[in-house]
Amino acid sequence: MCASSAHTGCQPGYGGFEAAAQNVGFVLARNGWRVIVSALDLRSSRSPSEVIGIGEIGAGARRGSGIETGTRMRHTYDNDTGQRRTLEHQLRSDRISRLARFGLTQPSWTARSSARPFRDRLGPHRDCGSLTRLRAPGQLPARVSASSESARRLTSLSSSAAPPPPLAMPAPAPPLRTVRILGTHGVPANYGGFETAAQNVGLFLASRGWRVIMYCQIPGSGPIQFDTWYGLERVRIPIDVTGWRGTSKFDLVSIQHACRYRDICLTFGYNTGVFNILQRLRGIPNIVNMDGIEWSRARWGPIRQAILYVNERISAKVGTHLIADHPEIRKYLLTRAPARKISTITYGADLVDSAPKEPVIKRNLTPGGYMTLICRPIPENSILELVRGFSLEPRGVTLAVLGTYTPETDPYHAAVMQSASDEVLFLGPIYEPQQVDALRYHSIAYLHGHTVGGTNPSLVEAMAAGNPVIAHDNTYNRWVARDAAVYFSTVDDVSQHVSRLISDPDALDRMRLASRERHAEEFTWTHVAGQYEQLLMRFHPVSVGAND
């Protein structure tokens, strides 16, 4: 900060402006500002524009080592003699008791003059950046006579200033931390687990005092729009292309916008990891949640799998730090990056300890008389095996299946629906979270067939509702659910587990308790989002980005 227009700088002698400038300077210096004050003496009729000095207040005082040992000099000229006068602003290294409350040091002023050809006179505002040794307070340079008018005036100025009045010192305000969240469709979350995670992490950080900027994809064309949603600042980017091309365009525009600033980025997913090179080139910290091993999913086809594979490798290379949502994903990422660059942070879910029965009843279900199966209807989620196992014999309960099934266009969907007994009810997609929570809460158990993908959101959400789980037997599910689940590998396994849970209320109660305990231990949003905050703090830049 540069302070000017106060005639005597840090030696108030002219009025309220000078006193105000002094006290504001002290407060700013105490709070970490670099404060530069200039001063002007108009009391000499011989030198009406004589500049007394220019210097800094409080440099180094916050480090407990006094201020920097140096002076800044400024040249002016005597109007009668044409001699150049070099006026030094000298800072004492010892502390002055009357400034102790500021944690600052007292500036003192000395002067010296030297002959200089008049032809070199360039006016009263020519700076010289040289430094000289500090002198004791009131001590004059050898070239200035103690009887000269300038010496008397300068010595008086350095010793006669009154102490500043008492000033209340507010505590330094903490810097505003900013994070930009990229890689999802934005908020409110309507698309899946990544959007829900980004939303919950963003809301948690905002409640902790962070400035959270969320990039959101909206249909259409036109300029970028800005608004707020529950304390989150939204950068809404219109995209007039659908599908993966639209997602790629949105990611590119989002990253280009984020790179205008120096704020830390939190990116969910690596589908367009090649664009993250921009953040790396700008030196912007970018924390990347690497999701599951997305490129290995057969549903993408060879071309998309190859694109995803390349982008995964790029993200792992250029990302500042990588997040794995499961210990098995971390093991995999160790083949892509060193251990110091990887942290494990799981997915979270809100506790569901009560729910209305109306969403259950209006769908012709009986509370406590059905099981649920909630997932995307693709082969890797074992839906066909689960439906067949449930349908092998009459159960006396219903299996409620959520999701979009189009048997007329998708052969897998057709096979699932053809294998279902009359006790299997396809409810279609349900996007209202409260209604899905109610269906989970009042169900007997949850069937989970995911074979890949790390910590799966639907499994965690079922445990948050206290569901016993019948889960596919793999390392991902066993680490997440532990004793809250029984595990299947075949259709016959599914049938046996369903029969057992229906007939054994004690086993159901034990598994319900295990679900709630496991959720409380690892998968609450407070715990998960708190880990995100701790990680972001490690890489948060010193300087805060500019406002949009």
Side-chain angles (χ1 to χ4, degrees):
M1 172 183 175
C2 179
S4 61
S5 300
H7 285 86
T8 57
C10 293
Q11 301 289 340
Y14 281 83
F17 260 2
E18 284 67 27
Q22 171 179 287
N23 286 314
V24 169
F26 287 146
V27 173
L28 292 175
R30 179 61 173 169
N31 282 273
W33 286 73
R34 180 187 180 202
V35 183
I36 304 172
V37 181
S38 63
L40 183 67
D41 189 353
L42 300 180
R43 289 176 287 183
S44 170
S45 59
R46 295 176 58 83
S47 304
S49 60
E50 183 170 303
V51 178
I52 296 302
I54 180 170
E56 297 181 21
I57 295 178
R62 290 175 63 84
R63 296 190 296 270
S65 59
I67 61 178
E68 296 173 354
T69 58
T71 63
R72 290 187 180 272
M73 299 184 295
R74 195 170 184 90
H75 299 310
T76 188
Y77 293 85
D78 189 288
N79 290 342
D80 293 334
T81 66
Q83 285 187 326
R84 187 181 73 163
R85 302 178 60 82
T86 303
L87 304 169
E88 301 174 355
H89 177 202
Q90 181 176 312
L91 302 177
R92 291 173 53 184
S93 58
D94 58 316
R95 300 200 180 266
I96 305 300
S97 60
R98 62 186 176 90
L99 295 179
R101 67 178 181 277
F102 295 110
L104 303 175
T105 55
Q106 167 67 27
S108 61
W109 305 79
T110 64
R112 70 184 182 190
S113 63
S114 60
R116 184 80 172 175
F118 190 75
R119 58 181 172 83
D120 286 346
R121 188 189 335 182
L122 298 178
H125 301 295
R126 175 176 172 179
D127 283 324
C128 174
S130 60
L131 299 176
T132 64
R133 287 184 298 116
L134 292 178
R135 300 180 180 87
Q139 179 182 346
L140 298 176
R143 294 186 181 181
V144 179
S145 170
S147 61
S148 68
E149 180 181 352
S150 296
R152 287 195 300 273
R153 182 171 72 255
L154 294 172
T155 304
S156 174
L157 183 59
S158 66
S159 58
S160 62
L167 182 66
M169 294 294 296
L176 182 65
R177 302 185 181 99
T178 302
V179 60
R180 295 176 181 268
I181 299 180
L182 305 96
T184 75
H185 286 84
V187 293
N190 292 318
Y191 286 87
F194 250 3
E195 280 71 22
T196 302
Q199 175 176 299
N200 281 283
V201 170
L203 291 172
F204 175 86
L205 293 174
S207 72
R208 297 273 295 171
W210 286 70
R211 180 190 178 206
V212 181
I213 301 169
M214 185 82 67
Y215 286 83
C216 307
Q217 180 179 345
I218 60 175
S221 59
I224 296 176
Q225 305 168 20
F226 304 91
D227 64 8
T228 59
W229 182 85
Y230 291 95
L232 308 181
E233 298 180 32
R234 297 195 299 182
V235 181
R236 306 175 74 225
I237 301 175
I239 299 296
D240 55 3
V241 185
T242 59
W244 68 270
R245 292 182 181 86
T247 300
S248 299
K249 181 179 179 181
F250 166 69
D251 288 344
L252 177 59
V253 175
S254 299
I255 292 172
Q256 287 175 330
H257 184 273
C259 284
R260 300 177 189 175
Y261 310 94
R262 305 297 300 173
D263 305 315
I264 191 171
C265 293
L266 174 60
T267 302
F268 284 84
Y270 62 79
N271 292 2
T272 53
V274 64
F275 299 148
N276 296 137
I277 295 175
L278 297 176
Q279 289 139 313
R280 179 64 175 265
L281 293 175
R282 292 290 307 277
I284 297 172
N286 184 28
I287 313 302
V288 185
N289 185 316
M290 296 295 287
D291 197 11
I293 310 172
E294 195 70 16
W295 66 267
S296 67
R297 299 177 186 265
R299 64 189 177 101
W300 296 123
I303 296 177
R304 288 293 307 280
Q305 284 181 295
I307 293 173
L308 290 171
Y309 178 83
V310 171
N311 278 280
E312 179 203 78
R313 299 298 294 263
I314 294 173
S315 282
K317 183 68 175 179
V318 303
T320 307
H321 199 80
L322 310 180
I323 295 175
D325 71 356
H326 191 284
E328 291 298 317
I329 300 297
R330 183 180 186 277
K331 290 180 183 179
Y332 170 77
L333 290 178
L334 287 173
T335 66
R336 304 286 188 261
R340 67 179 181 276
K341 193 177 177 178
I342 305 170
S343 295
T344 302
I345 305 178
T346 66
Y347 187 84
D350 292 320
L351 174 67
V352 181
D353 55 4
S354 65
K357 296 181 179 180
E358 287 77 11
V360 176
I361 296 172
K362 77 176 184 178
R363 291 179 170 84
N364 298 318
L365 296 170
T366 302
Y370 64 94
M371 296 181 176
T372 55
L373 173 55
I374 306 173
C375 64
R376 184 181 291 110
I378 54 178
E380 64 192 33
N381 289 341
S382 310
I383 299 171
L384 184 58
E385 292 83 351
L386 289 168
V387 171
R388 283 178 176 171
F390 182 89
S391 302
L392 281 180
E393 59 185 84
R395 302 296 180 182
V397 298
T398 303
L399 176 60
V401 181
L402 279 66
T404 301
Y405 288 80
T406 55
E408 60 280 356
T409 59
D410 191 312
Y412 184 76
H413 294 180
V416 170
M417 299 187 77
Q418 290 169 5
S419 67
S421 69
D422 293 339
E423 293 179 310
V424 179
L425 182 61
F426 292 89
L427 299 179
I430 301 175
Y431 298 110
E432 297 81 3
Q434 294 79 9
Q435 296 198 31
V436 177
D437 288 344
L439 289 170
R440 285 193 174 107
Y441 181 77
H442 293 290
S443 69
I444 299 173
Y446 168 68
L447 277 59
H448 183 75
H450 290 62
T451 58
V452 296
T455 299
N456 186 265
S458 62
L459 176 55
V460 175
E461 289 162 359
M463 294 166 61
N467 287 165
V469 180
I470 300 175
H472 184 272
D473 192 358
N474 59 67
T475 55
Y476 300 109
N477 296 334
R478 280 191 174 274
W479 182 84
V480 173
R482 296 186 180 174
D483 295 336
V486 290
Y487 299 93
F488 75 91
S489 299
T490 67
V491 170
D492 289 337
D493 291 341
V494 175
S495 180
Q496 294 173 12
H497 289 319
V498 171
S499 298
R500 178 194 169 202
L501 293 183
I502 292 173
S503 62
D504 191 348
D506 290 339
L508 285 175
D509 289 341
R510 289 194 300 270
M511 293 173 68
R512 287 192 185 101
L513 179 61
S515 280
R516 295 203 176 277
E517 289 178 345
R518 180 62 176 145
H519 170 259
E521 173 189 3
E522 187 68 44
F523 303 109
T524 65
W525 277 122
T526 300
H527 175 66
V528 171
Q531 291 176 295
Y532 272 91
E533 183 183 30
Q534 292 174 8
L535 180 59
L536 290 170
M537 289 292 293
R538 288 172 51 189
F539 298 96
H540 194 274
V542 175
S543 60
V544 180
N547 292 334
D548 291 321

